[in-house]
Structure formats: C-alpha cells, structure tokens
C-alpha cells in the first residue's frame, strides 16, 4: 500500500520489526470511528462524493462487525491496524476505499486513534475508581468506630479507627481521578487533518471531525499534533501514581491477613492455597496488585526514554508507545477491580484490632496533651515527663492505663486521678475531633459526605 517507490519487498526481519498489528489491533474501534468521521467530513466538503462516503461508512461498519464477531483476519504483512482495515475495505467496496485516505496520513490517523483510546481508557478507569471509592466509603461508614492501631514507621503510634484508615485511600483515589481528569482535558484535542506533519491543501473542516469524535477542538499546530506523546506520558504518570497507591494498600492487606497480625480476613474469593501446605490461605490477589505496579511504572519509564531524544515530527520509534501503554492501563484496570473486590470482601477482626491498638503505650501522646492542658506544662517538658512515665511502665510491665497513680506521681507529683480519663484507647480516639481527625463522629460524617459526593455523576 506504500510500495510505489520500492522495487521489492522488505526483508523478513524488516517485516517482523516493522509490523505492529499484534499490538495496535486494540485500536480498531477508534480507528473505524475516526475513519467514518473523516469520510463524512470529506463528503460534506465535496472532496469526495456522497456516494463514495456512504460506501466507505457502510464498509467500515461491516468491518467493525467482523472484528467484534472474531471473523476478521489480521495480516502482519499489512503492518498495522490502519492498513489492515483499509485493505479489507478495498475488498468490500472496491476503488472507493482508496478515497478514504485523502487529506490524511497514518501519522495523524494513529495520533487520533491513540488519543481516542487513551481517553476511553481514562473514562473507564474513572468509573472503576469511583466504584472503588464508594466501596471504601461504605465500609468506612460501617466501621467508623472500630478501633485499630495507627502506625508510623510500622510501629504502633496512636489508636485510630478502621473507617478513618479506609477513608485515607478514598482521598488518594480522589487525587488519582483528578490527575486522570486533568490528563483527559489536555489530550482532548484532535490531530486529524494535520496529515503527515504540515497539514493539507484540501479544504477540510477539522472542527467538524473534532466535534464528531468528541474532542474539544482541533490541535492548533500540525507538527505538534502528530509528534506529541505527552498525553500518553501524562496518563501513564497518573496510572503509575494510582498503582503506587493501590500497592500500598495491597501491602497492608498482605500484612493484615497474616495470622500473626490477623486484623482482617479475606474469603476464598480472593485467596489461594498452597500446593504443598494444606493450611495456607495466601493473599495472592493483593500480592498481584502490588506486583503490577512495577509493570505500570516501567511503562512510563520506557516511553519517557523512547521520547527523550526524538526530533520533530513523527519517528518510527513512536510505534513503541502502544504496547506498554495498553498493557499498563489494562493492568491498572484489573488492579482497581481486584482492590474493590477485596475491600468489599474483607472482614475485620474488631476484637483483635482493639487489643493491638493499646500495644506500645499508644496513648502516650494523650498523656502529654493532658499535662499541657491540666498542668500548663510546655509541650516539650510534657513530652519529656511522658517519656519517663512510659519508661517506668515498661519496667513494671504495665500499660499506661494500668500504671498506678502513685507510680506516675514519682515522675510528676501534680498528676491527678482524672488522668486515667484520657489513657484508654476509646477516649483517645474520641478526643481526636479536629478537622480530619479520627474521632468516630468525624469518620461517620466524612464517609457520609463521600458517599453523597460519589452518588453524583461526574461532568465531562
């Protein structure tokens, strides 16, 4: 289809390295949609006849049906999805198919198809992340008062609630969705009509094709239109950050489901067994989500390295943009679905969480705050006094709440009996009423607010 300049065919290895059909066949819906829009525009602008446009559109609809029913034969010799579809269109409607490529190039064609593909993937991911958020917020609402240990450095820090912990991931997912939305807004410019790199001499209507394909506007610079791949990089960057957030939660699920920790249990739906150890219940779904983050981050790195040294405009190196991107966005979609399923499935062990919440003198900060409020100690002095009391409790093998008042008064004589009101994990959690704090009333309000927000359909 491009052989007029060449006297012979490519070498076998050239044909193999040049072919991308095994990857870009995933873009068939977008390629057909863009071709139909282009054909109709050509007819309206009287560049091709209405009869030829109708034949082209009808033929493309038939090809779409063939692909979706698994009856389309993809040919590696035809290199890519564009030429495979055009060749089949020629089989179906004859010479009229040759008019479809008027005023366009494979350069603007693939740039348009790929923008449409990434946009579709972002929309699907946004819906999946919204469901993930709703699932988290629903579980958070049910466990607004379920106490668990909060950690820093993976050491017991202060008691929090399970609902509060889950809502942290709702916030992360909100920022992930915002990053994808920003990427979507910037990618939503139509390259079609930029042709190879310089535009075209035909009187095309780029605004029409942009509008029909759901773009906000045509891309303003023809060179940039065909050579830009920052829209892919930005989507992959958002995907990589999202994957990191999922991986952090997956890591916690792996830890929590260990019998040694035992904070939550996953059912048979999201665990597997061992081929040799009958007792095992492995959190493989969480581990696989954690592992897929590496592939997604790798796709971003790979494309940045491909693009970093390319002069304008289109280069064949850019054919490498699709395989990693398609794989990464697919892996992320699978990871989001798996995490959503695990959140819905997990059952917390409230008694075990509550017992662990008091380990490691987790209410020591509450004691320091009490010393500031009641005895008017500077916080640094209160911190030092509390540290000495904690050391005393450790020597006696007691929790702070069980340490006799007389022992505390050996460190600070003015401590009164009402100090015990702040040393239980329940009182500690309930006292954290500042904005964004872990008090159960706060968590219940935040979960309700998120569920109300997520019930609204997003605007495009």
């Amino acid at each position: 289809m491009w052989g007029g300049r060449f006297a012979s065919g490519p070498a076998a290895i050239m044909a193999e390295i040049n072919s991308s059909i095994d990857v870009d066949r995933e873009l068939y819906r977008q390629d057909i949609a863009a071709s139909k829009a282009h054909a109709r525009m050509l007819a309206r602008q009287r560049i091709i006849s209405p009869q030829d446009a109708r034949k082209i559109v009808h033929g493309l609809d038939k090809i779409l049906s063939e692909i979706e029913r698994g009856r389309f034969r993809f040919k590696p010799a035809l290199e890519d999805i564009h030429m495979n579809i055009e060749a089949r269109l020629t089989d179906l409607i004859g010479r009229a198919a040759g008019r479809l490529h008027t005023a366009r190039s494979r350069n603007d064609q693939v740039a348009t198809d790929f923008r449409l593909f990434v946009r579709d993937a972002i929309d699907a991911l946004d819906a999946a992340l919204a469901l993930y958020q709703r699932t988290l917020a629903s579980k958070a609402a049910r466990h607004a008062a379920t106490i668990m240990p909060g950690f820093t450095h993976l050491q017991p820090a202060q008691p929090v609630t399970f609902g509060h912990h889950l809502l942290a991931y709702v916030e992360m997912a909100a920022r992930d969705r915002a990053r994808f939305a920003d990427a979507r807004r910037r990618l939503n410019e139509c390259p079609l009509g930029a042709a190879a790199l310089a535009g075209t001499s035909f009187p095309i209507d780029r605004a029409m094709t942009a509008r029909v394909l759901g773009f906000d506007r045509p891309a303003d610079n023809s060179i940039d239109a065909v050579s830009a791949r920052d829209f892919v990089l930005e989507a992959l960057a958002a995907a990589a950050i999202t994957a990191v957030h999922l991986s952090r939660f997956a890591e916690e699920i792996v830890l929590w489901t260990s019998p040694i920790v035992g904070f939550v249990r996953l059912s048979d739906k999201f665990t597997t067994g061992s081929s040799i150890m009958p007792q095992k219940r492995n959190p493989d779904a969480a581990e696989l989500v954690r592992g897929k983050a590496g592939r997604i981050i790798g796709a971003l790195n790979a494309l940045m390295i491909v693009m970093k040294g390319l002069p304008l405009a289109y280069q064949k190196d850019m054919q490498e943009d699709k395989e990693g991107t398609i794989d990464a966005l697919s892996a992320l979609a699978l990871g989001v679905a798996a995490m959503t399923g695990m959140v819905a499935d997990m059952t917390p062990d409230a008694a075990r969480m509550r017992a662990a919440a008091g380990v490691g003198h987790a209410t020591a900060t509450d004691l320091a705050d009490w010393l500031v409020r009641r005895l008017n100690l500077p916080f640094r002095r209160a911190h030092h006094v509390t540290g000495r009391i904690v050391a005393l409790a450790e020597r006696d093998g007691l929790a702070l709440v069980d340490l006799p008042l007389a022992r505390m008064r050996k460190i600070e004589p003015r401590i009164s009996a009402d100090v015990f009101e702040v040393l239980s994990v329940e009182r500690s959690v309930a006292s954290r009423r500042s904005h964004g704090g872990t008090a159960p009333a706060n968590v219940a309000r935040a979960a309700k607010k998120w569920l109300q927000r997520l019930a609204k359909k997003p605007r495009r």
Side-chain angles (χ1 to χ4, degrees):
M1 301 192 64
W2 47 265
R5 168 68 176 80
F6 293 80
S8 63
I13 193 64
M14 176 61 192
E16 184 176 349
I17 197 172
N18 198 45
S19 176
S20 61
I21 188 60
D22 288 343
V23 173
D24 61 28
R25 64 195 294 171
E26 296 289 334
L27 277 59
Y28 73 90
R29 292 186 188 89
Q30 292 79 17
D31 192 72
I32 289 172
S35 290
K36 288 167 67 176
H38 187 66
R40 287 175 173 138
M41 180 276 295
L42 291 176
R44 179 176 289 188
Q45 295 301 106
R46 299 183 180 180
I47 298 170
I48 66 174
S49 70
Q51 294 84 356
D52 283 344
R54 282 194 293 270
K55 289 180 182 178
I56 289 169
V57 170
H58 178 74
L60 290 169
D61 284 337
K62 183 173 177 57
I63 292 169
L64 179 62
S65 176
E66 289 178 348
I67 295 175
E68 292 185 336
R69 287 183 296 151
R71 296 183 178 179
F72 186 93
R73 184 184 169 207
F74 292 98
K75 300 176 181 178
L78 294 175
E79 294 187 13
D80 56 31
I81 188 62
H82 322 298
M83 293 176 72
N84 268 265
I85 287 175
E86 187 173 334
R88 178 58 179 152
L89 187 63
T90 301
D91 293 340
L92 291 172
I93 68 171
R95 293 182 63 186
R99 300 193 183 279
L100 175 58
H101 210 55
T102 306
R104 76 174 185 183
S105 161
R106 279 195 294 177
N107 293 355
D108 62 336
Q109 190 178 357
V110 68
T112 302
D113 294 355
F114 206 23
R115 282 181 186 258
L116 290 171
F117 179 88
V118 173
R119 190 180 72 186
D120 290 345
I122 287 174
D123 290 346
L125 282 166
D126 183 72
L129 285 166
L131 177 59
Y132 171 58
Q133 287 181 292
R134 285 194 296 273
T135 307
L136 283 164
S138 295
K139 185 138 289 189
R142 292 196 295 275
H143 293 282
T146 301
I147 294 173
M148 69 174 290
F151 298 92
T152 63
H153 308 277
L154 203 57
Q155 303 297 312
Q158 292 176 282
V160 296
T161 74
F162 187 48
H164 192 56
H165 195 104
L166 295 178
L167 287 178
Y169 287 106
V170 176
E171 298 286 344
M172 291 183 201
R175 295 192 297 274
D176 294 331
R177 292 178 66 195
R179 275 182 283 269
F180 277 120
D182 286 344
R184 190 190 194 282
R185 278 192 291 272
R186 275 184 284 277
L187 75 76
N188 211 32
E189 297 182 349
C190 185
L192 196 58
L197 78 161
T200 178
S201 59
F202 289 96
I204 61 173
D205 184 350
R206 293 190 62 210
M208 175 187 167
T209 47
R211 183 174 60 253
V212 168
L213 293 170
F215 288 105
D216 294 330
R217 65 192 68 83
D220 285 337
N221 183 284
S222 60
I223 296 176
D224 180 57
V226 300
S227 64
R229 290 298 183 272
D230 55 331
F231 70 93
V232 190
L233 291 171
E234 193 167 5
L236 286 175
I241 295 170
T242 303
V244 168
H245 287 160
L246 295 180
S247 182
R248 293 183 72 182
F249 193 12
E251 168 73 3
E252 292 194 314
I253 291 172
V254 171
L255 293 171
W256 291 349
T257 55
S258 167
I260 297 171
V261 178
F263 285 177
V264 302
R265 181 179 175 86
L266 291 173
S267 76
D268 296 350
K269 295 177 181 178
F270 289 95
T271 55
T272 65
S274 165
S275 63
I276 189 172
M277 295 171 284
Q279 84 282 8
K280 294 295 292 298
R281 181 187 290 274
N282 298 324
D284 283 4
E287 292 171 8
L288 288 166
V289 170
R290 188 176 59 185
K292 287 183 186 299
R295 287 168 62 181
I296 297 166
I297 295 165
L300 170 62
N301 287 339
L303 185 55
M304 291 182 74
I305 293 167
V306 166
M307 295 301 298
K308 72 173 182 61
L310 299 188
L312 299 179
Y314 181 81
Q315 315 289 330
K316 195 68 170 182
D317 313 48
M318 292 158 70
Q319 183 168 290
E320 294 296 316
D321 60 358
K322 293 169 200 67
E323 185 171 9
T325 301
I326 292 169
D327 177 76
L329 297 178
S330 175
L332 181 60
L334 184 58
V336 174
M339 292 300 294
T340 303
M342 281 186 281
V343 171
D345 183 71
M346 66 171 57
T347 303
D349 186 331
R352 191 148 184 173
M353 283 182 168
R354 164 61 183 82
V359 171
H361 310 293
T363 58
T365 304
D366 299 274
L367 173 56
D369 290 345
W370 184 90
L371 293 170
V372 170
R373 286 194 306 269
R374 295 298 298 272
L375 304 186
N376 199 31
L377 294 183
F379 182 79
R380 284 299 170 205
R381 173 63 183 162
H383 186 284
H384 179 76
V385 169
T386 301
R388 292 181 63 193
I389 293 173
V390 167
L392 187 63
E394 284 184 345
R395 283 198 297 271
D396 292 354
L398 296 171
L400 282 177
V401 72
D402 297 323
L403 189 67
L405 180 61
R407 298 287 284 158
M408 293 189 196
R409 283 177 167 168
K410 286 186 176 294
I411 307 298
E412 173 49 68
R414 291 179 294 163
I415 294 177
S416 58
D418 60 356
V419 72
F420 293 101
E421 294 178 2
V422 303
L423 294 182
S424 73
V425 293
E426 288 80 10
R427 291 291 185 92
S428 174
V429 166
S431 72
R432 306 295 170 182
R433 295 185 295 270
S434 60
H435 180 80
T438 192
N442 282 16
V443 177
R445 281 194 301 271
K448 181 179 179 181
K449 180 180 176 182
W450 268 114
L451 289 169
Q452 290 172 341
R453 185 187 306 179
L454 291 164
K456 299 176 182 177
K457 292 186 178 179
R459 294 180 180 177
R460 290 286 174 221

